[in-house]
Amino acid sequence: MSAKLRFIVRRALGGFSCRVLNSRQRHVLVCRPQLRSLSCSYKLERPHNSGPSSLSIRSHTCGELRSEHVGEKVSLCGWVQYLRQDLFVILRDFSGLTQVLIPQDEAPNPLRETLSKLTVESVVKVTGTVAQRPAGQENKTMPTGEIEVVAESVEVFNLCRKLPFEIKDVVKKSESLRMQFRYLDLRSSWLQNNLRLRSEMVMKMRDYLCNQHGFVDVETPTLFKRTPGGAKEFLVPSREPGLFYSLPQSPQQFKQLLMVAGIDRYFQIARCYRDEGSKPDRQPEFTQVDLEMSFVEQAGIMALVEGLLKHSWPAEKGALTAPFPNMTYEEAMRDYGVDKPDTRFNMKLVDLREVFLNTNMDIFKSTISRQGGSILAICVPDGGKLFSGKHLEEMKNTAKNQFKQELSTVVLKADGTLKSALKNRMSESEIESLVQTTGAKPGDLLLLAAGLPQTVRPLLGHLRLQCAALLESHGVSLRDPTAFHFLWVVDFPLFLPKEDEPEQLEAAHHPFTAPVPEDRHLLYTDPQKVRGQHYDLVLNGCEIGGGSIRIHKSSEQLHILKNVLKEDASILSHLVEALDSGAPPHGGIALGLDRLVSIIVNAPTIRDVIAFPKSFRGFDLMSKAPSNVSAEELKPYHISVKWPSDEGGGSEAQE
C-alpha cells in the first residue's frame, strides 16, 4: 500500500488507530476504533505483575533491555529520539534509549516506510526481537548499547509537529522558553531523574516517619486567615463583603493545634505559599516536609531529622554521618558573617581589633573608640593574583551601596610588601601583625571593614561568598559540589529590631517560638537579649529547614504578642484559647523539600526539581497565569480592580 493511499485511508477513518503488522507472508496495515476493548488484543508476550511495565501494553521499558534478553520478543512504547541513516530509530522513554533496527528488505516494505518517515518526538509502539549488535557496533555509553530490537511491527500513536526546541540535555534553551513549553522540557532525562529522585525520597520519608516512629499524616486547610508577622500572604476573596482568606505560609498553627488535640506526632508533605518575588531558591508556592511532636525537646527533633535524612538519602550520593555538627548563632555570625554558613571552605572572618588597638589611622581609631566597634577582615587565597581592579571596585561598591560601609583592600605582593591605600598609614609592627593574624601569603587579598558587628559581619559574609564564586570562575576548586556539609545552627535571638522601626521588635522567626529556659525572665525586663529555642538546618550554605520548641502556655504567648511584638492578639484568639485548654510541651520543624532536592542534584535553581514552577517573576508562562478576570466575575466577591494610572496623567493604564 502506497504512503499516499495510507494517508487517505487514515484521514477517512478518523478516530481509528493504525499500525503496520509484519508476518512472514506479508505486511498488513491494521486499523481499529480507538475504543476501550475487553478483548485480549493487547495481551503482552511477557505479562508483568509489578514493575514499570505492569498493566501496560508494553513488555519492557526502553532502558531495560540487556544482552540476557537476546532472542526475546518484546514490545516497547516511547518517543522517537532521532532516526539514523534510515537504518535505525532510537526510541526513548523515562528509563533510557533503545536502538530499533529498521528492516532493509529490497522489496517494498510498509514497515520500513512507516519507520523511516517518523518525525522526531512521535509516539509509537514497536514490537520485535532483541538481537545482539554486530561486533564493533556496540555503544558503551548506552546501558542498552550491546543490543538492538529488530522491528517486526509498529503502531503509530501520534505524529509530532515541529517543536520549539530539541529534547536533548545538551541543547541550551532560554528559561522563558522552558517555562512556556514545560511539558516538553520535562521530557529531558535531567528533569525526569530529578522528579523521580524526589519521589523516591518522599516515599522513604513517609516510611520512616509512619512505620518507624508512629507519625500520622494529616492534611491541613489551604484556606485560612492572616498570620501576624512573617512573609506576605496571598489573599483569597470570599463571597462575604470585605472578608478574605489567606493562603498559609506554613501549617504552623494547625500543627500546634493537632498537638493540643492529642495527635501526638504529625507530619505532612505540605504546600505552602508566600507572596514574595521568586528567587533561585524560592517560589511563591513551595513544598515542606512538616513535622510536629508532643513531649519532646530540641535534641529529640534534631535526632529525628538526622535519622529521616539518613533513611531517605539517595544511595548513589554516599552515606550520611550523624549526628550533624552544630554551632550557635553567635559563632556563625562571628566566623562566617551569616547565620547559614557554607562550611565546605574556610575564609573565616578575622578579628583585627588587637592589631589596630593603638593605631593612628582615623578610619580605625574612631571605630575602636566606639562601644562595640570592631575591625574585621577575610583573607582570600590568591585573590591578589586572580582578581582585577574592576573586581575590587565592584566589591567596594557593594559595601557602599548595599551595606553603607567602607571597604579597604590589601594585596600581599610576592616580595612581602603591601599594595594598598592603607600602606603608608600603617606602622611596620601593624603590617607584621596584620599578616600574621590573617595568615596571609604572597598573592593573597585581604578585605577589611570597620564598624558595628551587625553591619560589618553581614558585609564580609556576603563578600566571602562572592569571592568564592570569583575564585571558582578562575578555575580554583573551592566548594566541592559532590560534598554535603550539614550543620545545625542554634541559640538564635528570639526577637530582632525592625528594619524600618529599630525601636520596635519583631519575631526573629515566628511568634510561637519558646524562649531558652534560662532566658525566660528576660522576656519581662530585656526581651532583646532573649534567646529562642529555635534551630536551623543548613546544607552547603543554604537553609533547608527551621524549627523550634513552641510556647505551650497561653499567658506567655499573650505577653509576647501584646507586650513585646505589639500585635493584635485577637487574631490568634483560637490558638491562645487552645493553649489554655491543656496543651502539651511540643516542638517541630519544616524541611524545604524543593531546596533540599535541588542541592542533592546540584541544580542551579529549585525550578529544576519542581514539575510546574513559576517564573522568576512568579508567573506561569505556560498557562499565562495570573490572568485577567472580568468585572462580572468579580461581582460575587464585592471587589473591583483599581487600575494604575499613567505617570503624569489620569487615564487608566492598559495591561
Side-chain angles (χ1 to χ4, degrees):
M1 184 182 292
S2 70
K4 184 176 180 181
L5 181 56
R6 284 204 313 277
F7 176 76
I8 294 172
V9 171
R10 291 189 65 179
R11 291 296 297 269
L13 300 177
F16 287 66
S17 67
C18 302
R19 57 177 177 163
V20 179
L21 299 180
N22 179 21
S23 67
R24 293 181 180 177
Q25 291 78 24
R26 63 188 184 277
H27 301 285
V28 183
L29 180 70
V30 176
C31 299
R32 63 173 179 230
Q34 293 180 339
L35 299 174
R36 183 175 179 182
S37 173
L38 297 180
S39 73
C40 296
S41 61
Y42 275 146
K43 186 175 181 180
L44 301 177
E45 294 292 331
R46 192 186 73 177
H48 288 255
N49 293 323
S50 63
S53 294
S54 62
L55 312 176
S56 174
I57 61 173
R58 67 181 178 226
S59 64
H60 297 76
T61 64
C62 292
E64 183 179 351
L65 299 175
R66 300 291 188 272
S67 295
E68 56 265 29
H69 296 102
V70 169
E72 291 187 27
K73 189 170 183 178
V74 298
S75 294
L76 305 178
C77 296
W79 287 259
V80 175
Q81 180 77 2
Y82 59 89
L83 288 86
R84 199 171 72 197
Q85 302 171 339
D86 286 339
L87 297 175
F88 307 103
V89 172
I90 307 301
L91 200 61
R92 183 198 76 241
D93 66 9
F94 69 91
S95 66
L97 305 169
T98 293
Q99 179 171 285
V100 176
L101 179 64
I102 301 175
Q104 299 299 309
D105 304 348
E106 292 185 4
N109 188 330
L111 176 61
R112 181 178 66 198
E113 188 175 342
T114 301
L115 288 170
S116 299
K117 290 187 177 181
L118 289 173
T119 56
V120 172
E121 293 303 308
S122 293
V123 186
V124 300
K125 174 186 175 185
V126 173
T127 300
T129 302
V130 182
Q132 197 79 34
R133 291 196 191 187
Q137 295 185 21
E138 300 90 347
N139 186 343
K140 295 183 179 180
T141 63
M142 285 176 62
T144 61
E146 294 183 351
I147 59 91
E148 59 191 6
V149 173
V150 181
E152 298 172 8
S153 68
V154 60
E155 184 170 1
V156 180
F157 295 123
N158 209 324
L159 290 172
C160 184
R161 63 180 174 86
K162 183 174 176 58
L163 299 179
F165 53 80
E166 292 184 83
I167 312 299
K168 294 180 180 177
D169 292 336
V170 295
V171 175
K172 301 295 182 183
K173 291 92 66 176
S174 70
E175 185 79 2
S176 60
L177 195 64
R178 292 179 61 199
M179 295 296 104
Q180 184 180 353
F181 298 97
R182 188 63 171 181
Y183 49 87
L184 298 179
D185 195 35
L186 284 170
R187 292 183 188 175
S188 71
S189 60
W190 159 251
L191 292 181
Q192 289 270 332
N193 291 337
N194 291 352
L195 293 182
R196 292 175 191 281
L197 181 142
R198 175 180 175 137
S199 172
E200 290 172 5
M201 287 191 68
V202 169
M203 179 188 69
K204 292 176 182 177
M205 287 177 175
R206 289 184 185 277
D207 171 66
Y208 180 82
L209 293 170
C210 293
N211 298 333
Q212 295 192 28
H213 290 282
F215 277 74
V216 182
D217 185 352
V218 181
E219 296 176 358
T220 55
T222 299
L223 295 176
F224 193 40
K225 66 184 295 185
R226 187 181 71 84
T227 302
K232 291 182 179 179
E233 297 173 334
F234 286 101
L235 296 178
V236 180
S238 74
R239 291 178 181 268
E240 298 296 324
L243 299 183
F244 292 82
Y245 297 103
S246 282
L247 301 183
Q249 303 172 40
S250 73
Q252 180 62 47
Q253 294 181 54
F254 288 113
K255 62 183 182 180
Q256 289 192 244
L257 293 170
L258 287 170
M259 297 304 99
V260 177
I263 293 297
D264 192 67
R265 297 186 173 196
Y266 142 93
F267 93 97
Q268 180 184 186
I269 306 300
R271 298 293 288 166
C272 305
Y273 308 88
R274 289 180 183 171
D275 189 7
E276 298 177 330
S278 199
K279 297 179 180 178
D281 62 346
R282 288 191 182 180
Q283 284 272 293
E285 50 182 333
F286 54 97
T287 306
Q288 289 182 346
V289 182
D290 203 46
L291 311 169
E292 198 79 5
M293 296 174 68
S294 294
F295 308 108
V296 70
E297 294 179 336
Q298 180 171 304
I301 297 289
M302 293 164 72
L304 174 78
V305 171
E306 290 167 355
L308 174 70
L309 290 172
K310 284 185 68 176
H311 185 81
S312 60
W313 195 255
E316 64 271 21
K317 298 298 180 180
L320 295 183
T321 302
F324 302 152
N326 67 73
M327 68 174 61
T328 66
Y329 170 83
E330 174 59 27
E331 290 170 340
M333 296 301 298
R334 180 196 67 199
D335 293 342
Y336 299 96
V338 293
D339 60 4
K340 47 184 178 183
D342 189 340
T343 56
R344 288 176 296 172
F345 68 106
N346 200 5
M347 281 172 56
K348 292 183 180 180
L349 278 61
V350 181
D351 189 347
L352 300 180
R353 185 180 177 86
E354 291 297 321
V355 173
F356 296 107
L357 191 60
N358 300 311
T359 187
N360 291 320
M361 288 188 290
D362 292 338
I363 185 175
F364 295 152
K365 194 172 184 179
S366 61
T367 299
I368 290 175
S369 65
R370 294 174 62 186
Q371 184 177 3
S374 62
I375 305 170
L376 303 176
I378 57 172
C379 179
V380 184
D382 294 326
K385 292 189 293 186
L386 298 176
F387 296 173
S388 65
K390 182 181 178 182
H391 290 140
L392 301 185
E393 282 302 313
E394 288 175 350
M395 292 182 200
K396 290 180 179 179
N397 289 335
T398 297
K400 185 176 295 185
N401 298 330
Q402 293 186 30
F403 295 89
K404 306 296 185 289
Q405 282 280 146
E406 293 294 328
L407 181 71
S408 300
T409 61
V410 178
V411 174
L412 185 60
K413 296 195 289 187
D415 60 4
T417 60
L418 303 185
K419 178 183 177 183
S420 173
L422 301 177
K423 175 184 176 182
N424 295 330
R425 290 183 282 170
M426 293 173 63
S427 66
E428 288 297 325
S429 62
E430 286 174 341
I431 293 175
E432 183 180 347
S433 181
L434 173 66
V435 173
Q436 185 177 1
T437 303
T438 59
K441 295 179 175 57
D444 289 354
L445 168 69
L446 300 177
L447 302 177
L448 284 69
L452 294 176
Q454 55 263 38
T455 56
V456 175
R457 286 173 173 179
L459 164 62
L460 293 180
H462 177 86
L463 293 179
R464 176 179 178 268
L465 297 175
Q466 186 176 333
C467 288
L470 271 175
L471 288 173
E472 289 172 340
S473 71
H474 285 84
V476 178
S477 180
L478 200 63
R479 297 174 292 188
D480 183 358
T482 65
F484 300 99
H485 285 217
F486 285 92
L487 174 72
W488 288 107
V489 180
V490 299
D491 287 352
F492 284 83
L494 192 57
F495 309 109
L496 292 172
K498 290 184 177 180
E499 285 189 17
D500 50 347
E501 299 177 88
E503 68 281 358
Q504 296 290 326
L505 295 179
E506 63 183 356
H509 290 89
H510 58 61
F512 314 116
T513 300
V516 171
E518 52 265 36
D519 291 354
R520 183 166 275 115
H521 66 283
L522 295 173
L523 278 175
Y524 306 92
T525 57
D526 198 351
Q528 197 164 342
K529 291 184 178 179
V530 179
R531 293 167 297 161
Q533 293 191 64
H534 182 95
Y535 32 85
D536 275 356
L537 183 58
V538 177
L539 173 57
N540 294 356
C542 294
E543 179 195 333
I544 62 163
S548 67
I549 300 301
R550 323 299 187 189
I551 298 167
H552 66 276
K553 293 183 178 179
S554 63
S555 58
E556 191 168 273
Q557 185 68 80
L558 265 175
H559 172 74
I560 287 175
L561 290 171
K562 293 172 64 176
N563 302 325
V564 179
L565 300 177
K566 313 297 183 185
E567 295 281 1
D568 181 3
S570 64
I571 297 176
L572 295 168
S573 59
H574 56 283
L575 180 63
V576 174
E577 289 173 3
L579 295 180
D580 205 26
S581 304
H586 58 283
I589 194 170
L591 301 176
L593 182 62
D594 310 309
R595 199 175 301 179
L596 173 62
V597 177
S598 71
I599 295 172
I600 292 174
V601 302
N602 196 27
T605 114
I606 64 171
R607 291 190 288 274
D608 286 334
V609 298
I610 301 173
F612 296 99
K614 300 295 185 289
S615 71
F616 187 77
R617 294 179 59 198
F619 294 164
D620 182 344
L621 301 182
M622 181 182 65
S623 67
K624 306 298 187 292
S627 58
N628 291 324
V629 177
S630 70
E632 192 64 28
E633 291 172 293
L634 290 175
K635 276 184 180 179
Y637 302 103
H638 311 281
I639 58 177
S640 61
V641 177
K642 183 178 180 181
W643 296 98
S645 299
D646 288 325
E647 188 176 348
S651 60
E652 291 185 340
Q654 297 298 315
E655 186 165 299

